[in-house]
Amino acid sequence: MILGYVVTGPDNDSYMLDGVNLSEAGICHACGLLLNFEYHNPDLKLRRATFDLSHCYDLGIIVSLRFKEFCIRHDYTGIRFSDFRALQNNYQLFIDNKIELDVIKRKIQFIKKCKHCHRYKEVIGATPAFLKNEEPIPNGFFASDLLFGSDNSKNPIMIVGSETREKLQTERIKGLWFEPIYTFSHWNTNLKPKPAEPKKWYQFW
Ligand SMILES: [Zn+2]
């Protein structure tokens, strides 16, 4: 059974943290990680600004005016938009609605914990995503409770249910990729990659 979808767009060939003085932005002085990964750089230089939804290489989701108007028209709550000084029709999207992922079932890896801020240098295992509470995702936009990536390039995954997916597709919000989120038991039985069979001695020839 499909509970929802992980949504991704293309990269926009840009860095949110480009030209940003990290110590002014606020970092842990022991490990250098940003204190707030919902960082907004009002002077972002967006190299590719034609997408409805795209990702910076380091952090941040950028959306078009079309996408913003779509959200306003449908009264979606729990999301925020921040604008940029030099960009007319692009906004940074922040999602306050959080969904808890199942760390154990996904075997999410947490690497190098900082003794000072208690956060991790690297978190691996974003997809396939498994939900802690295996219920269909309601209408709206959601972000995972965990950030994935390494160093200061970390993002939550963006999640929608089938109703929101249909609306996005009907209104031709373009360039989005939807990866289904299945119940763990369905994935485990039907979709889990099978371990490769060990090669017989004669197959090495
Ligand atoms: Zn730290």
Side-chain angles (χ1 to χ4, degrees), residues 28 30-32 114 116-119:
C28 166
C31 69
C114 171
H116 190 71
C117 68
H118 308 292
R119 294 171 309 155

Side-chain angles (χ1 to χ4, degrees), residues 16-48:
M16 182 64 69
L17 298 173
D18 195 12
V20 170
N21 180 336
L22 284 181
S23 47
E24 276 176 28
I27 51 170
C28 166
H29 291 289
C31 69
L33 287 183
L34 283 171
L35 299 178
N36 176 15
F37 276 91
E38 291 203 330
Y39 187 78
H40 175 68
N41 172 7
D43 296 311
L44 173 73
K45 291 172 195 71
L46 193 60
R47 294 218 181 98
R48 299 172 76 191

Side-chain angles (χ1 to χ4, degrees), residues 132-152:
K132 187 107 183 181
N133 178 13
E134 293 199 311
E135 284 180 7
I137 304 289
N139 192 17
F141 291 93
F142 300 85
S144 61
D145 59 334
L146 297 171
L147 305 175
F148 296 92
S150 58
D151 299 312
N152 278 332

